[in-house]
Amino acid sequence: MCMLRRLNKARGREYTRVLRECQAWRMDNKRLGTFDKRVDELAGQIPDWIRGSMKPMQHTGTLKAIDTMRLMGPCADYLFHGLFDPARVSALLALLAMLRKVRDAGADYTDPNALLSCRALRTDVAAGLAKFEKDFPPVVHALIVHLIVHIPDCIYRWNSVRNWWAFATERYVEWRSSGGPRCVCWKLG
């Protein structure tokens, strides 16, 4: 019993430490409003921007994959400017830059340099994720983030992430939200 009590206290201290670390990343209502205001301002400036009624930080409207792609584009510097301290913004922008490289990469089978470019992308992804793990709170290090490591290999096999293969998670979520069965059972033979 005494050992369990010590273990619970240690877990409680770790939980408190992680909460303190996450507080620096929390956005108050003023910063959330600033982000949404900037999204709104860009609506008239950028063609094919996200819908005008969309307020991503206030969760109004439905954020689609294309909206997320546009938000993480080159305007991300403007959207996040001044919302966190410079080191945190730098970490966030480095992550977004790495994700843009992955999004824009391709490996056509006729390209003799495809293997080399995918190896370089793999190095960039590893460096970007190492910075992500160093600078972001541990609670955001999810399994889906780890999957990014494997995407350069998938690009080499199947070409650009904009192809059908890269959206398995989105297809699954859409299927489940449209009334798909609770359990997926594969038929054998």
Side-chain angles (χ1 to χ4, degrees), residues 67-83:
D67 298 324
T68 304
M69 189 174 83
R70 289 176 179 151
L71 287 172
M72 70 181 241
C75 60
D77 296 2
Y78 170 67
L79 293 173
F80 287 104
H81 177 74
L83 297 181

Side-chain angles (χ1 to χ4, degrees), residues 13-120:
R13 286 190 297 273
E14 176 67 10
Y15 176 75
T16 303
R17 183 190 67 75
V18 169
L19 277 180
R20 269 193 306 250
E21 194 174 325
C22 290
Q23 286 299 327
W25 286 92
R26 184 165 296 209
M27 293 177 70
D28 58 16
N29 287 336
K30 181 180 177 191
R31 289 191 283 179
L32 292 173
T34 301
F35 187 93
D36 283 338
K37 180 179 172 222
R38 290 174 181 172
V39 167
D40 213 24
E41 288 170 355
L42 289 174
Q45 304 297 321
I46 299 176
D48 296 327
W49 185 240
I50 64 173
R51 295 172 307 283
S53 61
M54 176 71 65
K55 302 269 190 263
M57 295 300 181
Q58 294 176 20
H59 306 291
T60 60
T62 304
L63 195 62
K64 307 273 186 202
I66 188 68
D67 298 324
T68 304
M69 189 174 83
R70 289 176 179 151
L71 287 172
M72 70 181 241
C75 60
D77 296 2
Y78 170 67
L79 293 173
F80 287 104
H81 177 74
L83 297 181
F84 300 108
D85 65 68
R88 285 180 179 27
V89 170
S90 170
L92 183 62
L93 294 179
L95 175 69
L96 293 175
M98 184 264 299
L99 290 173
R100 283 192 296 267
K101 280 184 185 178
V102 168
R103 179 196 66 200
D104 296 337
D108 194 270
Y109 72 94
T110 59
D111 182 6
N113 296 318
L115 181 61
L116 293 175
S117 65
C118 285
R119 284 182 179 162

Side-chain angles (χ1 to χ4, degrees), residues 144-173:
I144 197 85
V145 171
H146 167 75
L147 292 175
I148 297 170
V149 171
H150 302 288
I151 290 179
D153 296 325
C154 295
I155 290 171
Y156 181 69
R157 287 187 193 110
W158 299 303
N159 206 344
S160 172
V161 296
R162 290 178 301 278
N163 293 344
W164 189 84
W165 68 268
F167 299 102
T169 306
E170 288 85 351
R171 287 192 303 275
Y172 175 73
V173 169

